[in-house]
């Protein structure tokens, strides 16, 4: 989109600078009139050109206010509706020298980003004047399409928060503070805000040691650290090794700094996560790919040492470079294998992230339908729970969502037509990496003394 020539306001004295016919700025006197000392004697001063109605409108529009809705050019080259969340002034002066932090209303908050003015279609700011509706909670005016989109995505992953808490959460975390991180051989764009200590407020990129997870502001610091760091895997006990995959159990009480750094890192990719500074109460299960250079973290899940609600997983994350490779499903399956070893059923802590919910629904569907296909006789939900360590409520909800259960004569009856089962299994997708239980060497925490 071409640049827009508008009159700029000097922020120091508030007066408008004159613009000559060739576009060069002319000096301004104290009374706001164009100085004419350089004009030939007897020559009438040139009148400044008046802005047309379009340019006057744009001049009064810039800089865009927080809350403005406009179309923005995204990385796919297409324009998408956005809402301005924040703005900041660049070093230069002028209305065009702002950049804007925008939320793409069609997408998850993980795609929020800073954009320049030339990415915004300013003509679209006032193109949605017709068919506007008002949000009674926020007072913002928007089209019905925009309102529906926001309603669908606004509380994603925050169903447990009331309206006031949700607004407080979004206000506090509305702008990403860290844009990218370097972890091992990957440079990763972050998704969300993470409350790093204040000394990192002016840092947009952090460098993580992939083994101890200490983080630094500069590449040189990381290089010095790596020469001294003697870790080649997460601190803790290796409880699983199968091929190049290893799982380490890290006690938050014994490895407090590592646990806190892992939480800082995870929060960059999890919108809903509550950051626990007291990691003593948690165990962290860190999945790694191993080679001759060491064990490189691909993801993790955490769980409380003692959960009264039968939670077998508190938080789960697969790092972006390793997503869509079956690792998330592997972590979920691993958490249930630990529950089987403990001899009790488990369920993930709520709320689940959007990606977490998709992964769990897929896992529950595949596990339950595989059993129903192989089990010819009638089987109860209690028996399914005992076999899988999946909580009965999760089984019931999954089968109801698949319309495979009916309520007859005071009890739930599973209707398992083979063709229907095959159709649902195909829709659920592949199962991902298998957990080889024979390679799991683990003692439940309560039995560790």
């Amino acid at each position: 989109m071409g640049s827009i020539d508008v009159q700029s306001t000097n922020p120091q004295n508030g007066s408008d600078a004159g613009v000559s016919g060739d576009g060069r700025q002319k000096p301004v006197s104290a009374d706001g009139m164009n100085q004419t000392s350089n004009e030939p004697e007897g020559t009438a001063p040139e009148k400044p050109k008046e802005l047309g109605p379009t340019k006057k409108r744009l001049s009064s529009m810039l800089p865009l206010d927080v809350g403005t809705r406009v179309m923005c050019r995204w990385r796919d080259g297409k324009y998408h509706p956005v809402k301005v969340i924040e703005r900041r002034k660049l070093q230069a002066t002028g209305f065009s020298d702002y950049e804007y932090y925008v939320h793409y209303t069609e997408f998850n908050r993980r795609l929020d980003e800073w954009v320049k003015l030339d990415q915004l279609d300013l003509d679209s700011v006032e193109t949605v004047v017709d068919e506007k509706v008002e949000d009674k909670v926020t007072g913002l005016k928007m089209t019905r399409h925009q309102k529906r989109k926001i309603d669908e995505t606004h509380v994603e992953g925050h169903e447990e928060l009331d309206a006031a808490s949700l607004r407080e959460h979004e206000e506090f975390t509305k702008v990403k503070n860290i844009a990218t991180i370097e972890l091992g051989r990957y440079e990763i764009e972050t998704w969300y805000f993470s409350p790093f200590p204040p000394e990192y407020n002016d840092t947009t990129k952090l460098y993580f040691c992939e083994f101890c997870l200490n983080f630094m502001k500069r590449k040189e610091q990381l290089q010095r650290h790596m020469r001294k760091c003697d870790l080649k895997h997460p601190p803790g006990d290796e409880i699983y090794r199968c091929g190049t995959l290893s799982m380490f159990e890290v006690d938050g009480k014994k490895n407090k700094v590592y646990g806190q750094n892992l939480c800082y890192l995870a929060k960059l990719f999890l919108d809903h996560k509550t950051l626990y500074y007291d990691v003593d109460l948690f165990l962290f299960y860190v999945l790694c790919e191993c080679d001759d250079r060491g064990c490189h973290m691909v993801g993790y899940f955490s769980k409380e040492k003692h959960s009264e609600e039968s939670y077998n997983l508190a938080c789960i994350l697969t790092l972006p470079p390793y997503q869509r490779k079956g690792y998330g499903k592997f972590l979920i399956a691993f958490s249930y294998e630990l529950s089987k070893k403990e001899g009790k059923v488990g369920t993930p802590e709520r709320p689940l992230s959007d990606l977490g919910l998709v992964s769990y629904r897929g896992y529950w569907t595949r596990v339950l339908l595989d059993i129903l296909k192989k089990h010819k006789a009638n089987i109860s939900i209690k028996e399914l729970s005992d076999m899988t360590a999946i909580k009965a409520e999760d089984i019931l909800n999954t089968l109801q969502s698949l319309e495979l259960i009916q309520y007859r004569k005071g009890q739930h009856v599973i209707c398992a037509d083979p063709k229907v089962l095959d159709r649902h299994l195909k829709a659920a997708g592949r199962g991902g990496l298998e957990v080889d239980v024979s390679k799991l060497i683990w003692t439940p925490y309560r039995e560790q003394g």
Side-chain angles (χ1 to χ4, degrees), residues 206-372:
L206 287 179
Y207 299 85
F208 280 80
C209 170
E210 63 175 328
F211 301 119
C212 71
L213 296 188
N214 283 349
F215 46 88
M216 299 124 225
K217 292 183 178 182
R218 300 192 305 276
K219 179 80 169 182
E220 298 77 16
Q221 292 175 306
L222 175 64
Q223 290 170 339
R224 287 198 300 270
H225 169 85
M226 295 304 292
R227 287 194 289 267
K228 295 183 292 183
C229 184
D230 55 3
L231 277 180
K232 294 300 179 186
H233 57 75
D237 300 324
E238 186 178 18
I239 61 173
Y240 180 87
R241 171 71 73 95
C242 183
T244 59
L245 280 187
S246 284
M247 183 75 81
F248 291 83
E249 180 184 68
V250 181
D251 189 327
K253 186 174 183 179
K254 296 177 182 178
N255 301 278
K256 185 171 294 189
V257 174
Y258 181 91
Q260 290 175 343
N261 290 345
L262 181 55
C263 289
Y264 281 128
L265 173 63
K267 182 63 186 74
L268 291 169
F269 305 100
L270 296 172
D271 188 19
H272 73 288
K273 178 177 171 57
T274 302
L275 190 65
Y276 292 103
Y277 294 97
D278 183 9
V279 295
D280 294 13
L281 306 178
F282 291 86
L283 296 167
F284 300 90
Y285 295 89
V286 185
L287 180 63
C288 297
E289 284 184 350
C290 302
D291 58 25
D292 54 359
R293 296 185 300 110
C295 298
H296 314 283
M297 184 179 79
V298 304
Y300 87 103
F301 71 89
S302 60
K303 64 181 291 187
E304 290 182 275
K305 294 175 180 176
H306 307 285
S307 174
E308 296 180 358
E309 295 85 0
S310 299
Y311 293 143
N312 65 353
L313 185 146
C315 183
I316 182 171
L317 170 69
T318 303
L319 291 169
Y322 300 97
Q323 290 178 359
R324 306 186 69 82
K325 296 182 179 181
Y327 287 128
K329 298 165 186 173
F330 180 90
L331 290 170
I332 292 173
F334 201 94
S335 71
Y336 280 105
E337 293 301 335
L338 298 187
S339 293
K340 292 175 185 177
K341 288 268 188 179
E342 292 176 305
K344 59 184 183 182
V345 299
T347 189
E349 185 176 324
R350 268 58 167 192
L352 291 167
S353 67
D354 57 334
L355 298 180
L357 181 59
V358 170
S359 296
Y360 265 97
R361 282 178 174 168
Y363 173 80
W364 290 329
T365 297
R366 284 186 298 274
V367 169
L368 296 174
L369 298 194
D370 277 339
I371 294 175
L372 292 178

Side-chain angles (χ1 to χ4, degrees), residues 30-178:
D31 61 1
M33 298 297 291
N34 291 334
Q35 292 181 349
T36 59
S37 57
N38 294 329
E39 298 287 345
E41 191 174 347
T43 304
E46 181 182 349
K47 292 183 179 180
K49 291 185 177 180
E50 291 188 6
L51 292 176
T54 301
K55 291 187 177 180
K56 283 184 178 179
R57 178 176 63 84
L58 294 177
S59 177
S60 63
M61 182 190 306
L62 297 175
L64 297 177
D65 292 327
V66 171
T68 299
R69 297 178 183 277
V70 63
M71 302 296 286
C72 179
R73 187 177 68 250
W74 193 48
R75 62 191 68 174
D76 62 357
K78 299 177 182 178
Y79 283 87
H80 299 270
V82 301
K83 176 183 176 182
V84 176
I85 303 298
E86 191 58 272
R87 71 185 187 190
R88 65 186 179 194
K89 200 143 184 3
L90 302 176
Q91 294 295 329
T93 59
F95 289 133
S96 62
D97 297 317
Y98 279 82
E99 60 180 356
Y100 301 91
Y101 193 79
V102 299
H103 167 60
Y104 295 89
T105 57
E106 296 174 326
F107 306 127
N108 184 279
R109 284 209 312 158
R110 70 174 66 99
L111 297 180
D112 294 3
E113 62 180 349
W114 288 101
V115 300
K116 298 291 195 299
L117 184 65
D118 62 4
Q119 292 176 250
L120 302 175
D121 179 9
L122 296 180
D123 289 333
S124 69
V125 171
E126 295 183 358
T127 57
V128 290
V129 292
D130 58 334
E131 202 183 354
K132 286 197 172 181
V133 295
E134 186 166 349
D135 188 327
K136 295 181 180 179
V137 177
T138 64
L140 295 175
K141 290 186 176 180
M142 62 197 83
T143 66
R144 288 190 175 90
H145 172 72
Q146 290 171 325
K147 178 70 166 62
R148 183 174 68 252
K149 279 291 184 183
I150 290 173
D151 288 343
E152 290 171 356
T153 61
H154 194 59
V155 296
E156 185 177 275
H158 300 287
E159 293 80 1
E160 86 292 0
L161 298 180
D162 57 32
S165 299
L166 180 61
R167 283 195 295 270
E168 182 180 356
H169 166 83
E170 293 194 340
E171 178 63 28
F172 183 67
T173 66
K174 65 182 181 180
V175 178
K176 277 183 278 197
N177 50 341
I178 306 297

